[in-house]
Amino acid sequence: MPETIRRSAQALDEDEALDLLRRASYGVLALIQADGSPYSVPLNFVLQGKNLYFHCARQGHKLDCLLHDSRVCVSVVEKSTVVPHIFSTDYRSVTARGRACIVTDEAEKRRALEQLIAKFCPQYIAEGAGEIEAGLAKTCIVKITLTDVTGKQASQKTREAAALPL
């Protein structure tokens, strides 16, 4: 279910939220364990359109959780600066929900890995191509199809617009 932001003056529009998600260097992935309890793990990822991709080993707790329940949530924070004199924090953040699946198409896996290298190691594109070929069969790619993306920010400007204490 889409999140409703209580202080609408602090909401980012969807394009701003997706742009922040695209730029983020890492986020926290929240999953549901088989016993119904929450589990979260930090990871890096790449966003293409409304699909978020990350890589992992072909076995492990993340995959166990995804196979149990494909519903996931990813949170990122672009900036977080405490403003002590007003007992507040300036920040920009995004919460993105969606459904995760393991990518089985080799061309899609390769594209996701190429995009990860372009985002995180752009100076090593050529070397990365060799790494992709060497590790493609051992690497799992997970695609999260985003269903809801909500962004929020707080700053002096947004507090003033919302008539909040400065």
Side-chain angles (χ1 to χ4, degrees), residues 35-82:
D35 68 2
S37 64
Y39 172 71
S40 65
V41 61
L43 52 78
N44 57 26
F45 59 86
V46 65
L47 181 70
Q48 292 299 314
K50 285 200 174 181
N51 294 316
L52 188 146
Y53 293 90
F54 68 89
H55 69 92
C56 59
R58 292 175 49 132
Q59 295 180 29
H61 194 59
K62 279 192 299 272
L63 291 183
D64 293 344
C65 292
L66 292 173
L67 294 173
H68 162 71
D69 192 326
S70 67
R71 295 174 297 164
V72 298
C73 183
V74 175
S75 296
V76 301
V77 177
E78 179 180 59
K79 131 187 162 173
S80 176
T81 305
V82 175

